[in-house]
Amino acid sequence: MHASKPFSLRIFVADGDPDGLRVVERSNWVGKALIFPRALLPRVKQREELAYTGVYLLLGPREDGDGEMLYIGEGDPVRPRLEDHYAKKDFWNRAVCFVAPGQLNKAHVQFLESNLVRLAKAAKRVPLDNANNPAEPSLSEPDRADMLVFLENMLGMLPVLGVHAFEQAVAVPVAGHTMLTCRSKGITATGYESTQGFVVKAGSQAVATVTPSMQEHMSRLLDERQVLIENGVLQKNGEHYVVTQDYVFSSPSTAASVLLGCSSNGRVAWKDAQGTTLKALQEAEAAH
């Protein structure tokens, strides 16, 4: 659903502080995004945009401190919902709100919230703080079409704004990127480089146990592997695990290390059909 056409964003840094309130508008679109740290809510809530109906994301560190978690909500209007979360919800430290003054009603934002929760759960990139699956409301055919466009525009903007929770791996590599294979420790995995990171293909294998060295010295990778097991991206199948969906890792080395259960240099572990390492392929490309 992500936008595939070029677009431009206009980012207004409202206080002159790049880490403060930013108001983001997209070319030829009525919606706008407000991004701000939690600490600024007492001041930001006075802005007229938050008096409108909208959908919002709250982001902050997971309880284990490794990576982010996400809460998705809607408000009619947005301001009292954010005030309630400011008082009662602990984890978040930044908010992203989408509004379209005079254009959205309660059913519209319930539709957006429901689809954002669905997409985040399907991507499995970031755990959700949401306790339930909000039902998608019934919309008229024109309203549904309008909200699908609104959703598509949001999804196109969010990665540019540093939010990757809704991105699923693209089905094919970027043109010119080679399909690569990692064979070691009795497992076989395939993947490729993409603009999002390193994509490991569904059906790839991972070892059943990790090395003592990973347990002692690589807690971040161990935690990432455990999260993938818990959310079903890695599923036990006989003597090994199987990757159940195309999944984006931050780098070739992270992908190889998680799959092999040990420290691994992904630029050497991943090879093309001729046995040429990713490192050698990149060196050859750089030389042209």
Side-chain angles (χ1 to χ4, degrees):
M1 251 188 116
H2 292 259
S4 57
K5 297 179 181 178
F7 62 92
S8 62
L9 298 181
R10 180 174 180 265
I11 302 177
F12 175 58
V13 181
D15 301 320
D17 177 3
D19 296 315
L21 171 65
R22 284 150 292 163
V23 181
V24 186
E25 295 178 287
R26 178 175 175 144
S27 52
N28 302 312
W29 188 47
V30 295
K32 65 171 66 175
L34 279 74
I35 308 167
F36 55 90
R38 178 179 184 149
L40 285 188
L41 180 62
R43 191 166 68 205
V44 171
K45 71 179 185 179
Q46 306 303 327
R47 292 187 64 95
E48 65 174 351
E49 291 96 339
L50 297 188
Y52 292 103
T53 304
V55 64
Y56 58 87
L57 314 175
L58 305 179
L59 297 111
R62 303 178 195 173
E63 289 182 2
D64 59 14
D66 187 36
E68 282 196 320
M69 63 188 299
L70 167 69
Y71 180 85
I72 301 165
E74 51 82 14
D76 181 22
V78 173
R79 179 184 297 152
R81 300 296 301 134
L82 292 175
E83 289 174 327
D84 187 62
H85 296 318
Y86 183 80
K88 298 176 183 177
K89 194 173 285 295
D90 292 333
F91 84 93
W92 67 284
N93 55 23
R94 62 189 174 114
V96 183
C97 302
F98 284 90
V99 296
Q103 303 293 316
L104 299 175
N105 61 33
K106 180 70 171 179
H108 291 153
V109 293
Q110 286 177 332
F111 177 90
L112 295 172
E113 176 195 39
S114 172
N115 279 277
L116 288 171
V117 169
R118 176 181 58 80
L119 290 167
K121 289 187 173 182
K124 298 180 181 176
R125 303 274 308 257
V126 177
L128 291 183
D129 187 57
N130 295 68
N132 60 348
N133 289 316
E136 182 181 303
S138 177
L139 296 180
S140 69
E141 193 172 356
D143 276 7
R144 182 181 174 83
D146 287 345
M147 287 306 100
L148 287 173
V149 172
F150 199 98
L151 180 65
E152 184 176 359
N153 285 333
M154 288 173 56
L155 293 173
M157 292 171 65
L158 283 167
V160 185
L161 305 179
V163 180
H164 301 278
F166 305 96
E167 290 182 290
Q168 295 193 51
V170 290
V172 295
V174 174
H177 286 207
T178 306
M179 192 65 71
L180 303 168
T181 302
C182 174
R183 288 189 179 91
S184 182
K185 302 177 74 170
I187 64 108
T188 301
T190 56
Y192 57 89
E193 290 192 292
S194 79
T195 56
Q196 301 171 15
F198 192 87
V199 178
V200 172
K201 293 288 289 178
S204 296
Q205 299 171 325
V207 299
T209 58
V210 303
T211 62
S213 178
M214 174 177 264
Q215 291 177 329
E216 293 174 18
H217 306 298
M218 305 172 70
S219 61
R220 182 185 67 80
L221 290 173
L222 189 64
D223 288 345
E224 181 166 354
R225 179 182 159 95
Q226 189 57 39
V227 168
L228 295 181
I229 292 170
E230 290 172 359
N231 65 22
V233 173
L234 288 178
Q235 197 168 82
K236 194 70 185 295
N237 185 345
E239 298 299 312
H240 53 256
Y241 284 94
V242 172
V243 180
T244 59
Q245 65 183 68
D246 290 4
Y247 191 82
V248 185
F249 290 88
S250 59
S251 71
S253 292
T254 297
S257 298
V258 168
L259 296 178
L260 296 175
C262 64
S263 177
S264 180
N265 181 344
R267 296 182 70 214
V268 175
W270 295 99
K271 301 175 183 179
D272 70 5
Q274 287 71 46
T276 307
T277 66
L278 176 58
K279 182 176 188 290
L281 290 169
Q282 290 176 335
E283 287 172 347
E285 288 171 357
H288 285 306

